mmCIF file of all heavy atoms in Angstrom:
data_model
loop_
_atom_site.group_PDB
_atom_site.id
_atom_site.type_symbol
_atom_site.label_atom_id
_atom_site.label_comp_id
_atom_site.label_asym_id
_atom_site.label_seq_id
_atom_site.Cartn_x
_atom_site.Cartn_y
_atom_site.Cartn_z
ATOM 1 N N ARG A 163 22.202 -13.232 -27.255
ATOM 2 C CA ARG A 163 22.820 -14.436 -27.800
ATOM 3 C C ARG A 163 24.201 -14.746 -27.184
ATOM 4 O O ARG A 163 24.769 -15.830 -27.466
ATOM 5 C CB ARG A 163 22.828 -14.391 -29.285
ATOM 6 C CG ARG A 163 21.397 -14.262 -29.858
ATOM 7 C CD ARG A 163 21.347 -14.108 -31.390
ATOM 8 N NE ARG A 163 21.527 -15.390 -32.070
ATOM 9 C CZ ARG A 163 21.674 -15.550 -33.333
ATOM 10 N NH1 ARG A 163 21.560 -14.485 -34.120
ATOM 11 N NH2 ARG A 163 21.886 -16.730 -33.871
ATOM 12 N N GLU A 164 24.763 -13.800 -26.416
ATOM 13 C CA GLU A 164 25.958 -14.128 -25.722
ATOM 14 C C GLU A 164 25.665 -15.045 -24.487
ATOM 15 O O GLU A 164 26.550 -15.720 -24.017
ATOM 16 C CB GLU A 164 26.656 -12.840 -25.247
ATOM 17 C CG GLU A 164 27.158 -11.972 -26.392
ATOM 18 C CD GLU A 164 27.962 -10.740 -25.837
ATOM 19 O OE1 GLU A 164 28.213 -10.662 -24.651
ATOM 20 O OE2 GLU A 164 28.342 -9.997 -26.732
ATOM 21 N N ILE A 165 24.479 -15.002 -24.016
ATOM 22 C CA ILE A 165 23.979 -15.869 -22.961
ATOM 23 C C ILE A 165 23.728 -17.253 -23.481
ATOM 24 O O ILE A 165 24.193 -18.270 -22.873
ATOM 25 C CB ILE A 165 22.726 -15.341 -22.201
ATOM 26 C CG1 ILE A 165 23.064 -14.000 -21.502
ATOM 27 C CG2 ILE A 165 22.197 -16.331 -21.221
ATOM 28 C CD1 ILE A 165 21.931 -13.330 -20.906
ATOM 29 N N TYR A 166 22.994 -17.265 -24.659
ATOM 30 C CA TYR A 166 22.757 -18.556 -25.262
ATOM 31 C C TYR A 166 22.743 -18.353 -26.836
ATOM 32 O O TYR A 166 21.862 -17.692 -27.320
ATOM 33 C CB TYR A 166 21.432 -19.126 -24.799
ATOM 34 C CG TYR A 166 21.018 -20.452 -25.505
ATOM 35 C CD1 TYR A 166 21.848 -21.578 -25.457
ATOM 36 C CD2 TYR A 166 19.844 -20.518 -26.223
ATOM 37 C CE1 TYR A 166 21.505 -22.714 -26.100
ATOM 38 C CE2 TYR A 166 19.518 -21.660 -26.874
ATOM 39 C CZ TYR A 166 20.319 -22.808 -26.841
ATOM 40 O OH TYR A 166 20.029 -24.047 -27.485
ATOM 41 N N LYS A 167 23.684 -18.916 -27.464
ATOM 42 C CA LYS A 167 23.797 -18.681 -28.955
ATOM 43 C C LYS A 167 22.612 -19.243 -29.751
ATOM 44 O O LYS A 167 22.420 -18.872 -30.887
ATOM 45 C CB LYS A 167 25.120 -19.367 -29.399
ATOM 46 C CG LYS A 167 26.379 -18.636 -28.889
ATOM 47 C CD LYS A 167 27.632 -19.316 -29.406
ATOM 48 C CE LYS A 167 28.868 -18.597 -28.877
ATOM 49 N NZ LYS A 167 30.120 -19.194 -29.319
ATOM 50 N N GLY A 168 21.876 -20.211 -29.158
ATOM 51 C CA GLY A 168 20.773 -20.759 -29.887
ATOM 52 C C GLY A 168 19.558 -19.857 -29.992
ATOM 53 O O GLY A 168 18.660 -20.220 -30.738
ATOM 54 N N TRP A 169 19.443 -18.794 -29.242
ATOM 55 C CA TRP A 169 18.353 -17.890 -29.307
ATOM 56 C C TRP A 169 18.279 -17.208 -30.695
ATOM 57 O O TRP A 169 19.307 -16.998 -31.296
ATOM 58 C CB TRP A 169 18.407 -16.918 -28.141
ATOM 59 C CG TRP A 169 17.907 -17.414 -26.861
ATOM 60 C CD1 TRP A 169 17.038 -18.448 -26.648
ATOM 61 C CD2 TRP A 169 18.218 -16.858 -25.624
ATOM 62 N NE1 TRP A 169 16.835 -18.601 -25.277
ATOM 63 C CE2 TRP A 169 17.565 -17.615 -24.610
ATOM 64 C CE3 TRP A 169 19.003 -15.816 -25.192
ATOM 65 C CZ2 TRP A 169 17.705 -17.397 -23.251
ATOM 66 C CZ3 TRP A 169 19.071 -15.600 -23.748
ATOM 67 C CH2 TRP A 169 18.405 -16.325 -22.833
ATOM 68 N N ASN A 170 17.064 -16.911 -31.125
ATOM 69 C CA ASN A 170 16.873 -16.158 -32.397
ATOM 70 C C ASN A 170 17.135 -14.671 -32.185
ATOM 71 O O ASN A 170 17.156 -14.183 -30.992
ATOM 72 C CB ASN A 170 15.539 -16.425 -32.992
ATOM 73 C CG ASN A 170 14.335 -15.866 -32.219
ATOM 74 O OD1 ASN A 170 14.216 -14.633 -32.121
ATOM 75 N ND2 ASN A 170 13.605 -16.701 -31.524
ATOM 76 N N ASP A 171 17.217 -13.905 -33.279
ATOM 77 C CA ASP A 171 17.413 -12.495 -33.142
ATOM 78 C C ASP A 171 16.182 -11.699 -33.484
ATOM 79 O O ASP A 171 16.272 -10.534 -33.847
ATOM 80 C CB ASP A 171 18.631 -12.071 -34.089
ATOM 81 C CG ASP A 171 18.300 -12.273 -35.553
ATOM 82 O OD1 ASP A 171 17.228 -12.891 -35.848
ATOM 83 O OD2 ASP A 171 19.070 -11.860 -36.437
ATOM 84 N N LYS A 172 15.052 -12.250 -33.368
ATOM 85 C CA LYS A 172 13.788 -11.635 -33.739
ATOM 86 C C LYS A 172 12.872 -11.370 -32.561
ATOM 87 O O LYS A 172 12.003 -10.517 -32.652
ATOM 88 C CB LYS A 172 13.021 -12.373 -34.838
ATOM 89 C CG LYS A 172 13.836 -12.565 -36.163
ATOM 90 C CD LYS A 172 13.097 -13.368 -37.120
ATOM 91 C CE LYS A 172 13.833 -13.604 -38.470
ATOM 92 N NZ LYS A 172 14.142 -12.272 -39.100
ATOM 93 N N ALA A 173 13.004 -12.174 -31.540
ATOM 94 C CA ALA A 173 12.035 -12.080 -30.472
ATOM 95 C C ALA A 173 12.395 -11.033 -29.409
ATOM 96 O O ALA A 173 13.594 -10.710 -29.135
ATOM 97 C CB ALA A 173 11.905 -13.434 -29.760
ATOM 98 N N GLU A 174 11.314 -10.458 -28.807
ATOM 99 C CA GLU A 174 11.490 -9.518 -27.665
ATOM 100 C C GLU A 174 10.982 -10.334 -26.415
ATOM 101 O O GLU A 174 10.108 -11.143 -26.467
ATOM 102 C CB GLU A 174 10.641 -8.300 -27.919
ATOM 103 C CG GLU A 174 10.711 -7.244 -26.839
ATOM 104 C CD GLU A 174 9.700 -7.547 -25.674
ATOM 105 O OE1 GLU A 174 8.659 -8.136 -25.938
ATOM 106 O OE2 GLU A 174 10.090 -7.211 -24.529
ATOM 107 N N TRP A 175 11.612 -9.994 -25.324
ATOM 108 C CA TRP A 175 11.411 -10.872 -24.102
ATOM 109 C C TRP A 175 9.975 -11.004 -23.607
ATOM 110 O O TRP A 175 9.593 -12.057 -23.128
ATOM 111 C CB TRP A 175 12.378 -10.403 -22.946
ATOM 112 C CG TRP A 175 13.569 -11.194 -22.857
ATOM 113 C CD1 TRP A 175 14.847 -10.819 -23.239
ATOM 114 C CD2 TRP A 175 13.676 -12.584 -22.493
ATOM 115 N NE1 TRP A 175 15.702 -11.881 -23.118
ATOM 116 C CE2 TRP A 175 15.050 -12.968 -22.564
ATOM 117 C CE3 TRP A 175 12.757 -13.479 -21.975
ATOM 118 C CZ2 TRP A 175 15.486 -14.219 -22.266
ATOM 119 C CZ3 TRP A 175 13.208 -14.763 -21.691
ATOM 120 C CH2 TRP A 175 14.571 -15.140 -21.781
ATOM 121 N N ASN A 176 9.187 -9.933 -23.644
ATOM 122 C CA ASN A 176 7.816 -10.007 -23.128
ATOM 123 C C ASN A 176 6.928 -11.012 -23.958
ATOM 124 O O ASN A 176 5.907 -11.469 -23.496
ATOM 125 C CB ASN A 176 7.165 -8.686 -22.973
ATOM 126 C CG ASN A 176 7.736 -7.873 -21.836
ATOM 127 O OD1 ASN A 176 8.290 -8.425 -20.912
ATOM 128 N ND2 ASN A 176 7.441 -6.622 -21.815
ATOM 129 N N VAL A 177 7.346 -11.176 -25.193
ATOM 130 C CA VAL A 177 6.634 -12.134 -26.033
ATOM 131 C C VAL A 177 7.327 -13.567 -25.875
ATOM 132 O O VAL A 177 6.650 -14.581 -25.686
ATOM 133 C CB VAL A 177 6.712 -11.801 -27.538
ATOM 134 C CG1 VAL A 177 5.817 -12.726 -28.359
ATOM 135 C CG2 VAL A 177 6.211 -10.324 -27.683
ATOM 136 N N PHE A 178 8.669 -13.539 -25.916
ATOM 137 C CA PHE A 178 9.367 -14.751 -25.793
ATOM 138 C C PHE A 178 9.133 -15.447 -24.487
ATOM 139 O O PHE A 178 9.146 -16.727 -24.367
ATOM 140 C CB PHE A 178 10.870 -14.515 -25.990
ATOM 141 C CG PHE A 178 11.755 -15.692 -25.962
ATOM 142 C CD1 PHE A 178 11.781 -16.587 -27.032
ATOM 143 C CD2 PHE A 178 12.598 -15.974 -24.914
ATOM 144 C CE1 PHE A 178 12.568 -17.720 -27.056
ATOM 145 C CE2 PHE A 178 13.452 -17.122 -24.907
ATOM 146 C CZ PHE A 178 13.402 -17.999 -25.965
ATOM 147 N N ALA A 179 8.913 -14.730 -23.379
ATOM 148 C CA ALA A 179 8.636 -15.335 -22.011
ATOM 149 C C ALA A 179 7.492 -16.306 -22.128
ATOM 150 O O ALA A 179 7.438 -17.372 -21.425
ATOM 151 C CB ALA A 179 8.338 -14.231 -21.027
ATOM 152 N N ASP A 180 6.451 -16.003 -22.958
ATOM 153 C CA ASP A 180 5.386 -16.969 -23.166
ATOM 154 C C ASP A 180 4.674 -16.762 -24.458
ATOM 155 O O ASP A 180 3.578 -16.149 -24.600
ATOM 156 C CB ASP A 180 4.404 -16.793 -21.978
ATOM 157 C CG ASP A 180 3.397 -18.025 -21.959
ATOM 158 O OD1 ASP A 180 3.296 -18.782 -22.965
ATOM 159 O OD2 ASP A 180 2.788 -18.250 -20.892
ATOM 160 N N PRO A 181 5.281 -17.185 -25.544
ATOM 161 C CA PRO A 181 4.753 -16.998 -26.897
ATOM 162 C C PRO A 181 3.396 -17.774 -27.016
ATOM 163 O O PRO A 181 2.524 -17.301 -27.846
ATOM 164 C CB PRO A 181 5.802 -17.536 -27.814
ATOM 165 C CG PRO A 181 6.644 -18.513 -26.916
ATOM 166 C CD PRO A 181 6.604 -17.946 -25.578
ATOM 167 N N LEU A 182 3.170 -18.844 -26.315
ATOM 168 C CA LEU A 182 1.858 -19.577 -26.367
ATOM 169 C C LEU A 182 0.785 -18.759 -25.828
ATOM 170 O O LEU A 182 -0.274 -18.665 -26.444
ATOM 171 C CB LEU A 182 2.034 -20.857 -25.643
ATOM 172 C CG LEU A 182 3.088 -21.869 -26.196
ATOM 173 C CD1 LEU A 182 3.140 -23.081 -25.296
ATOM 174 C CD2 LEU A 182 2.812 -22.216 -27.707
ATOM 175 N N ALA A 183 0.996 -17.992 -24.781
ATOM 176 C CA ALA A 183 -0.068 -17.127 -24.229
ATOM 177 C C ALA A 183 -0.286 -15.946 -25.135
ATOM 178 O O ALA A 183 -1.519 -15.589 -25.383
ATOM 179 C CB ALA A 183 0.385 -16.603 -22.870
ATOM 180 N N ALA A 184 0.697 -15.362 -25.664
ATOM 181 C CA ALA A 184 0.583 -14.258 -26.599
ATOM 182 C C ALA A 184 -0.170 -14.676 -27.838
ATOM 183 O O ALA A 184 -1.108 -14.044 -28.357
ATOM 184 C CB ALA A 184 1.886 -13.632 -26.935
ATOM 185 N N SER A 185 0.148 -15.780 -28.357
ATOM 186 C CA SER A 185 -0.446 -16.317 -29.584
ATOM 187 C C SER A 185 -1.886 -16.626 -29.305
ATOM 188 O O SER A 185 -2.820 -16.403 -30.141
ATOM 189 C CB SER A 185 0.212 -17.656 -30.024
ATOM 190 O OG SER A 185 -0.426 -18.225 -31.146
ATOM 191 N N TRP A 186 -2.252 -17.168 -28.144
ATOM 192 C CA TRP A 186 -3.657 -17.448 -27.785
ATOM 193 C C TRP A 186 -4.496 -16.125 -27.718
ATOM 194 O O TRP A 186 -5.558 -16.101 -28.282
ATOM 195 C CB TRP A 186 -3.726 -18.228 -26.505
ATOM 196 C CG TRP A 186 -5.150 -18.715 -26.240
ATOM 197 C CD1 TRP A 186 -5.708 -19.864 -26.579
ATOM 198 C CD2 TRP A 186 -6.114 -17.897 -25.602
ATOM 199 N NE1 TRP A 186 -7.013 -19.987 -26.193
ATOM 200 C CE2 TRP A 186 -7.309 -18.762 -25.560
ATOM 201 C CE3 TRP A 186 -6.285 -16.654 -24.951
ATOM 202 C CZ2 TRP A 186 -8.626 -18.345 -25.046
ATOM 203 C CZ3 TRP A 186 -7.551 -16.288 -24.529
ATOM 204 C CH2 TRP A 186 -8.640 -17.034 -24.473
ATOM 205 N N ILE A 187 -3.914 -15.150 -27.136
ATOM 206 C CA ILE A 187 -4.599 -13.864 -27.010
ATOM 207 C C ILE A 187 -4.822 -13.283 -28.416
ATOM 208 O O ILE A 187 -5.959 -12.756 -28.734
ATOM 209 C CB ILE A 187 -3.866 -12.807 -26.174
ATOM 210 C CG1 ILE A 187 -3.810 -13.249 -24.667
ATOM 211 C CG2 ILE A 187 -4.387 -11.394 -26.281
ATOM 212 C CD1 ILE A 187 -5.144 -13.098 -23.961
ATOM 213 N N PHE A 188 -3.808 -13.366 -29.291
ATOM 214 C CA PHE A 188 -3.961 -12.788 -30.615
ATOM 215 C C PHE A 188 -5.014 -13.564 -31.405
ATOM 216 O O PHE A 188 -5.739 -12.961 -32.157
ATOM 217 C CB PHE A 188 -2.535 -12.886 -31.307
ATOM 218 C CG PHE A 188 -1.673 -11.738 -31.159
ATOM 219 C CD1 PHE A 188 -1.475 -11.144 -29.945
ATOM 220 C CD2 PHE A 188 -0.930 -11.243 -32.130
ATOM 221 C CE1 PHE A 188 -0.717 -10.098 -29.673
ATOM 222 C CE2 PHE A 188 -0.052 -10.148 -31.974
ATOM 223 C CZ PHE A 188 0.015 -9.561 -30.744
ATOM 224 N N GLU A 189 -5.027 -14.873 -31.228
ATOM 225 C CA GLU A 189 -5.881 -15.701 -32.132
ATOM 226 C C GLU A 189 -7.277 -15.771 -31.597
ATOM 227 O O GLU A 189 -8.293 -15.809 -32.398
ATOM 228 C CB GLU A 189 -5.305 -17.094 -32.232
ATOM 229 C CG GLU A 189 -6.105 -18.008 -33.194
ATOM 230 C CD GLU A 189 -5.391 -19.366 -33.436
ATOM 231 O OE1 GLU A 189 -4.291 -19.555 -32.876
ATOM 232 O OE2 GLU A 189 -5.938 -20.148 -34.154
ATOM 233 N N HIS A 190 -7.476 -15.801 -30.283
ATOM 234 C CA HIS A 190 -8.789 -16.145 -29.727
ATOM 235 C C HIS A 190 -9.506 -14.975 -29.094
ATOM 236 O O HIS A 190 -10.692 -15.148 -28.542
ATOM 237 C CB HIS A 190 -8.643 -17.286 -28.726
ATOM 238 C CG HIS A 190 -8.187 -18.550 -29.330
ATOM 239 N ND1 HIS A 190 -9.027 -19.334 -30.040
ATOM 240 C CD2 HIS A 190 -6.967 -19.108 -29.258
ATOM 241 C CE1 HIS A 190 -8.351 -20.377 -30.451
ATOM 242 N NE2 HIS A 190 -7.080 -20.343 -29.961
ATOM 243 N N THR A 191 -9.014 -13.760 -29.133
ATOM 244 C CA THR A 191 -9.702 -12.575 -28.575
ATOM 245 C C THR A 191 -9.729 -11.511 -29.659
ATOM 246 O O THR A 191 -8.990 -11.574 -30.570
ATOM 247 C CB THR A 191 -9.025 -12.029 -27.315
ATOM 248 O OG1 THR A 191 -7.854 -11.315 -27.595
ATOM 249 C CG2 THR A 191 -8.775 -13.107 -26.278
ATOM 250 N N ALA A 192 -10.574 -10.580 -29.453
ATOM 251 C CA ALA A 192 -10.703 -9.409 -30.361
ATOM 252 C C ALA A 192 -10.501 -8.164 -29.572
ATOM 253 O O ALA A 192 -10.947 -7.044 -30.060
ATOM 254 C CB ALA A 192 -12.139 -9.417 -31.037
ATOM 255 N N ILE A 193 -9.826 -8.193 -28.424
ATOM 256 C CA ILE A 193 -9.566 -6.991 -27.677
ATOM 257 C C ILE A 193 -8.545 -6.052 -28.455
ATOM 258 O O ILE A 193 -7.712 -6.505 -29.030
ATOM 259 C CB ILE A 193 -8.973 -7.376 -26.289
ATOM 260 C CG1 ILE A 193 -9.813 -8.365 -25.547
ATOM 261 C CG2 ILE A 193 -8.691 -6.111 -25.367
ATOM 262 C CD1 ILE A 193 -9.093 -9.018 -24.382
ATOM 263 N N GLU A 194 -8.934 -4.802 -28.389
ATOM 264 C CA GLU A 194 -7.993 -3.798 -29.109
ATOM 265 C C GLU A 194 -6.683 -3.921 -28.508
ATOM 266 O O GLU A 194 -6.426 -3.809 -27.345
ATOM 267 C CB GLU A 194 -8.608 -2.420 -28.893
ATOM 268 C CG GLU A 194 -7.646 -1.347 -29.540
ATOM 269 C CD GLU A 194 -8.021 0.119 -29.302
ATOM 270 O OE1 GLU A 194 -9.109 0.521 -29.749
ATOM 271 O OE2 GLU A 194 -7.301 0.693 -28.427
ATOM 272 N N MET A 195 -5.688 -4.182 -29.363
ATOM 273 C CA MET A 195 -4.307 -4.376 -28.927
ATOM 274 C C MET A 195 -3.490 -3.198 -29.426
ATOM 275 O O MET A 195 -3.248 -2.956 -30.626
ATOM 276 C CB MET A 195 -3.718 -5.649 -29.503
ATOM 277 C CG MET A 195 -2.233 -5.922 -29.214
ATOM 278 S SD MET A 195 -1.985 -6.351 -27.426
ATOM 279 C CE MET A 195 -2.705 -8.000 -27.328
ATOM 280 N N ASN A 196 -2.874 -2.459 -28.405
ATOM 281 C CA ASN A 196 -1.990 -1.372 -28.651
ATOM 282 C C ASN A 196 -0.580 -1.860 -28.284
ATOM 283 O O ASN A 196 -0.313 -2.032 -27.039
ATOM 284 C CB ASN A 196 -2.322 -0.123 -27.814
ATOM 285 C CG ASN A 196 -3.684 0.336 -28.265
ATOM 286 O OD1 ASN A 196 -3.908 1.087 -29.182
ATOM 287 N ND2 ASN A 196 -4.702 -0.061 -27.450
ATOM 288 N N MET A 197 0.347 -2.023 -29.178
ATOM 289 C CA MET A 197 1.648 -2.584 -28.908
ATOM 290 C C MET A 197 2.739 -1.552 -29.078
ATOM 291 O O MET A 197 2.800 -0.724 -30.038
ATOM 292 C CB MET A 197 1.920 -3.806 -29.795
ATOM 293 C CG MET A 197 3.021 -4.701 -29.386
ATOM 294 S SD MET A 197 3.086 -6.240 -30.334
ATOM 295 C CE MET A 197 3.948 -5.683 -31.781
ATOM 296 N N PHE A 198 3.694 -1.548 -28.114
ATOM 297 C CA PHE A 198 4.793 -0.649 -28.197
ATOM 298 C C PHE A 198 6.109 -1.443 -28.271
ATOM 299 O O PHE A 198 6.583 -1.963 -27.163
ATOM 300 C CB PHE A 198 4.801 0.174 -26.877
ATOM 301 C CG PHE A 198 3.566 1.136 -26.802
ATOM 302 C CD1 PHE A 198 2.361 0.578 -26.426
ATOM 303 C CD2 PHE A 198 3.691 2.489 -27.183
ATOM 304 C CE1 PHE A 198 1.228 1.441 -26.410
ATOM 305 C CE2 PHE A 198 2.577 3.324 -27.172
ATOM 306 C CZ PHE A 198 1.348 2.808 -26.789
ATOM 307 N N PRO A 199 6.545 -1.715 -29.406
ATOM 308 C CA PRO A 199 7.657 -2.655 -29.635
ATOM 309 C C PRO A 199 8.999 -1.995 -29.420
ATOM 310 O O PRO A 199 9.143 -0.750 -29.089
ATOM 311 C CB PRO A 199 7.522 -3.020 -31.120
ATOM 312 C CG PRO A 199 6.891 -1.848 -31.793
ATOM 313 C CD PRO A 199 6.062 -1.213 -30.752
ATOM 314 N N LEU A 200 10.108 -2.758 -29.568
ATOM 315 C CA LEU A 200 11.416 -2.198 -29.455
ATOM 316 C C LEU A 200 11.695 -1.051 -30.350
ATOM 317 O O LEU A 200 12.633 -0.227 -30.127
ATOM 318 C CB LEU A 200 12.488 -3.311 -29.602
ATOM 319 C CG LEU A 200 12.468 -4.440 -28.545
ATOM 320 C CD1 LEU A 200 13.544 -5.431 -28.899
ATOM 321 C CD2 LEU A 200 12.780 -3.870 -27.110
ATOM 322 N N ASP A 201 11.013 -1.067 -31.464
ATOM 323 C CA ASP A 201 11.259 0.002 -32.507
ATOM 324 C C ASP A 201 11.085 1.430 -31.877
ATOM 325 O O ASP A 201 11.867 2.297 -32.222
ATOM 326 C CB ASP A 201 10.203 -0.160 -33.636
ATOM 327 C CG ASP A 201 10.304 -1.504 -34.296
ATOM 328 O OD1 ASP A 201 9.919 -2.492 -33.631
ATOM 329 O OD2 ASP A 201 10.686 -1.531 -35.460
ATOM 330 N N ILE A 202 10.134 1.599 -31.006
ATOM 331 C CA ILE A 202 9.907 2.911 -30.326
ATOM 332 C C ILE A 202 10.663 2.898 -29.015
ATOM 333 O O ILE A 202 11.323 3.872 -28.634
ATOM 334 C CB ILE A 202 8.470 3.245 -30.136
ATOM 335 C CG1 ILE A 202 8.331 4.562 -29.459
ATOM 336 C CG2 ILE A 202 7.700 2.238 -29.384
ATOM 337 C CD1 ILE A 202 6.871 5.164 -29.440
ATOM 338 N N ALA A 203 10.609 1.769 -28.270
ATOM 339 C CA ALA A 203 11.217 1.713 -26.927
ATOM 340 C C ALA A 203 12.770 1.914 -26.968
ATOM 341 O O ALA A 203 13.330 2.550 -26.080
ATOM 342 C CB ALA A 203 10.865 0.429 -26.201
ATOM 343 N N ASP A 204 13.353 1.459 -27.986
ATOM 344 C CA ASP A 204 14.856 1.580 -28.079
ATOM 345 C C ASP A 204 15.273 3.018 -28.364
ATOM 346 O O ASP A 204 16.485 3.333 -28.224
ATOM 347 C CB ASP A 204 15.390 0.716 -29.234
ATOM 348 C CG ASP A 204 15.497 -0.769 -28.802
ATOM 349 O OD1 ASP A 204 15.440 -1.023 -27.577
ATOM 350 O OD2 ASP A 204 15.754 -1.600 -29.645
ATOM 351 N N LYS A 205 14.359 3.870 -28.639
ATOM 352 C CA LYS A 205 14.668 5.353 -28.936
ATOM 353 C C LYS A 205 14.697 6.086 -27.617
ATOM 354 O O LYS A 205 14.968 7.371 -27.701
ATOM 355 C CB LYS A 205 13.650 5.862 -29.943
ATOM 356 C CG LYS A 205 13.756 5.239 -31.303
ATOM 357 C CD LYS A 205 12.681 5.698 -32.260
ATOM 358 C CE LYS A 205 12.883 4.981 -33.605
ATOM 359 N NZ LYS A 205 11.833 5.305 -34.573
ATOM 360 N N ALA A 206 14.401 5.558 -26.496
ATOM 361 C CA ALA A 206 14.336 6.263 -25.226
ATOM 362 C C ALA A 206 15.456 5.771 -24.345
ATOM 363 O O ALA A 206 15.231 4.921 -23.506
ATOM 364 C CB ALA A 206 13.054 6.099 -24.587
ATOM 365 N N PRO A 207 16.637 6.307 -24.488
ATOM 366 C CA PRO A 207 17.788 5.754 -23.696
ATOM 367 C C PRO A 207 17.762 6.269 -22.200
ATOM 368 O O PRO A 207 17.097 7.232 -21.862
ATOM 369 C CB PRO A 207 19.022 6.487 -24.399
ATOM 370 C CG PRO A 207 18.454 7.730 -24.953
ATOM 371 C CD PRO A 207 17.059 7.404 -25.345
ATOM 372 N N VAL A 208 18.388 5.456 -21.416
ATOM 373 C CA VAL A 208 18.589 5.828 -19.916
ATOM 374 C C VAL A 208 19.684 6.806 -19.796
ATOM 375 O O VAL A 208 19.475 7.856 -19.089
ATOM 376 C CB VAL A 208 18.829 4.554 -19.124
ATOM 377 C CG1 VAL A 208 19.280 4.940 -17.688
ATOM 378 C CG2 VAL A 208 17.624 3.674 -19.113
ATOM 379 N N ASP A 209 20.834 6.645 -20.375
ATOM 380 C CA ASP A 209 21.947 7.567 -20.162
ATOM 381 C C ASP A 209 21.713 8.814 -20.962
ATOM 382 O O ASP A 209 21.019 8.852 -21.964
ATOM 383 C CB ASP A 209 23.220 6.846 -20.697
ATOM 384 C CG ASP A 209 24.479 7.383 -19.922
ATOM 385 O OD1 ASP A 209 24.335 8.151 -19.001
ATOM 386 O OD2 ASP A 209 25.592 6.936 -20.260
ATOM 387 N N GLY A 210 22.333 9.916 -20.495
ATOM 388 C CA GLY A 210 22.132 11.180 -21.184
ATOM 389 C C GLY A 210 21.110 12.068 -20.426
ATOM 390 O O GLY A 210 21.150 12.187 -19.227
ATOM 391 N N GLN A 211 20.221 12.666 -21.188
ATOM 392 C CA GLN A 211 19.281 13.621 -20.639
ATOM 393 C C GLN A 211 18.527 13.090 -19.445
ATOM 394 O O GLN A 211 18.257 13.773 -18.464
ATOM 395 C CB GLN A 211 18.338 14.120 -21.711
ATOM 396 C CG GLN A 211 17.245 15.099 -21.177
ATOM 397 C CD GLN A 211 16.067 15.328 -22.180
ATOM 398 O OE1 GLN A 211 16.152 14.865 -23.367
ATOM 399 N NE2 GLN A 211 15.022 15.960 -21.758
ATOM 400 N N PHE A 212 18.101 11.861 -19.582
ATOM 401 C CA PHE A 212 17.260 11.232 -18.490
ATOM 402 C C PHE A 212 17.964 11.209 -17.190
ATOM 403 O O PHE A 212 17.464 11.637 -16.151
ATOM 404 C CB PHE A 212 16.792 9.835 -18.906
ATOM 405 C CG PHE A 212 15.976 9.053 -17.941
ATOM 406 C CD1 PHE A 212 14.655 9.527 -17.647
ATOM 407 C CD2 PHE A 212 16.426 8.005 -17.264
ATOM 408 C CE1 PHE A 212 13.851 8.775 -16.782
ATOM 409 C CE2 PHE A 212 15.693 7.314 -16.370
ATOM 410 C CZ PHE A 212 14.412 7.742 -16.120
ATOM 411 N N MET A 213 19.236 10.742 -17.221
ATOM 412 C CA MET A 213 19.979 10.646 -16.000
ATOM 413 C C MET A 213 20.281 12.013 -15.436
ATOM 414 O O MET A 213 20.364 12.214 -14.211
ATOM 415 C CB MET A 213 21.255 9.809 -16.230
ATOM 416 C CG MET A 213 21.036 8.327 -16.383
ATOM 417 S SD MET A 213 20.156 7.558 -15.015
ATOM 418 C CE MET A 213 21.132 7.972 -13.601
ATOM 419 N N ILE A 214 20.583 12.978 -16.318
ATOM 420 C CA ILE A 214 20.894 14.340 -15.852
ATOM 421 C C ILE A 214 19.688 14.888 -15.110
ATOM 422 O O ILE A 214 19.785 15.488 -13.990
ATOM 423 C CB ILE A 214 21.227 15.255 -17.027
ATOM 424 C CG1 ILE A 214 22.558 14.818 -17.608
ATOM 425 C CG2 ILE A 214 21.333 16.731 -16.683
ATOM 426 C CD1 ILE A 214 22.915 15.471 -18.989
#
Side-chain angles (χ1 to χ4, degrees):
R163 299 176 78 183
E164 290 185 9
I165 294 176
Y166 176 58
K167 293 180 180 179
W169 280 337
N170 68 70
D171 64 354
K172 298 181 182 297
E174 181 277 326
W175 261 107
N176 284 344
V177 186
F178 184 72
D180 197 340
L182 299 176
S185 178
W186 188 90
I187 292 288
F188 272 41
E189 185 173 359
H190 295 284
T191 75
I193 304 167
E194 178 186 292
M195 177 69 72
N196 300 277
M197 197 168 80
F198 296 78
L200 294 177
D201 302 68
I202 182 172
D204 280 349
K205 294 175 181 177
V208 169
D209 210 3
Q211 178 194 349
F212 180 69
M213 287 307 303
I214 292 169

